Amino acid sequence: DAGITQSPRHKVTETGTPVTLRCHQTENHRYMYWYRQDPGHGLRLIHYSYGVKDTDKGEVSDGYSVSRSKTEDFLLTLESATSSQTSVYFCAIRPGQGTDTQYFGPGTRLTVL
Amino acid sequence: AQKITQTQPGMFVQEKEAVTLDCTYDTSDQSYGLFWYKQPSSGEMIFLIYQGSYDEQNATEGRYSLNFQKARKSANLVISASQLGDSAMYFCAMRETLSGGYNKLIFGAGTRLAVHP
């Protein structure tokens, strides 16, 4: 158990509304990631962070922003949700430089109507 | 561009038999890592096994082994003595190095495994 929680676990929202997903970890890991999972695509990286206030874009970052003001929290925001952002969102952590393995949170299922 | 290919959308196996899930990769990096994750119907992503590109021995973790063939750029997952609880989606992934020395995982599309009694 990597001590990762995500909230909310399920959300239904309307097109055009802002949405924030939260990833919380309890073990002070430096590296955190947000992925989205869609059928036929596996998981794709949205944004990642290598420390407080240090974030960067992944391959599918359009329409998303992130913030990390505390080590334990990594927030993903959809500024104006669209139906194409209906997906399952996973947060992941990488324990440190000594390993490449990422451990995932339980996921958030987001539906944009 | 780095890529992971899983050519089997679905597989089935009889309980207690072995099954191989295929994964091929494409990279120009000399140093890379390969992973397999399991996603049961409950939805969580569970890390199974890791193989580094410089590891000479195939990785093993209990009933899971990774058949690493570097020249063929393949990293197949072998599950021995399948159990009903092995029914799940399986994802192959590869570590890609980003600028600044950070890394990310790139995933294949997955293979759905069904274990039949």
Side-chain angles (χ1 to χ4, degrees), chain B residues 25-70:
Chain B
Y25 60 92
D26 190 14
T27 182
S28 55
D29 291 349
Q30 295 301 308
S31 174
Y32 51 90
L34 296 154
F35 306 80
W36 279 91
Y37 287 84
K38 173 184 178 182
Q39 186 176 43
S41 58
S42 51
E44 68 268 34
M45 293 288 290
I46 302 167
F47 166 70
L48 294 179
I49 196 166
Y50 167 80
Q51 177 88 38
S53 58
Y54 292 116
D55 295 339
E56 295 189 354
Q57 299 290 328
N58 284 344
T60 59
E61 291 286 349
R63 294 186 297 110
Y64 304 108
S65 61
L66 199 154
N67 184 1
F68 181 46
Q69 298 188 42
K70 198 169 183 176

Side-chain angles (χ1 to χ4, degrees), chain A residues 33 35 37 42 90 100 102, chain B residues 37 39 43 91 95 103 105 108:
Chain A
Y33 305 80
Y35 292 86
Q37 181 181 22
F90 285 97
D100 290 333
Q102 294 182 20
Chain B
Y37 287 84
Q39 186 176 43
F91 291 97
R95 184 254 295 155
N103 64 49
L105 297 182

Side-chain angles (χ1 to χ4, degrees), chain A residues 30-31 33 35 37 40-43 45 48 50 59 90 94 100-104 106, chain B residues 33 35 37 39 43-45 47 50 91 95 98-99 102-109:
Chain A
R30 182 180 172 193
Y31 303 98
Y33 305 80
Y35 292 86
Q37 181 181 22
H41 289 278
L43 277 72
L45 183 67
Y48 59 101
Y50 30 90
E59 62 190 288
F90 285 97
R94 180 162 72 94
D100 290 333
T101 303
Q102 294 182 20
Y103 298 90
F104 287 82
Chain B
F35 306 80
Y37 287 84
Q39 186 176 43
E44 68 268 34
M45 293 288 290
F47 166 70
Y50 167 80
F91 291 97
R95 184 254 295 155
L98 302 168
S99 60
Y102 306 108
N103 64 49
K104 71 171 188 181
L105 297 182
I106 55 172
F107 285 82

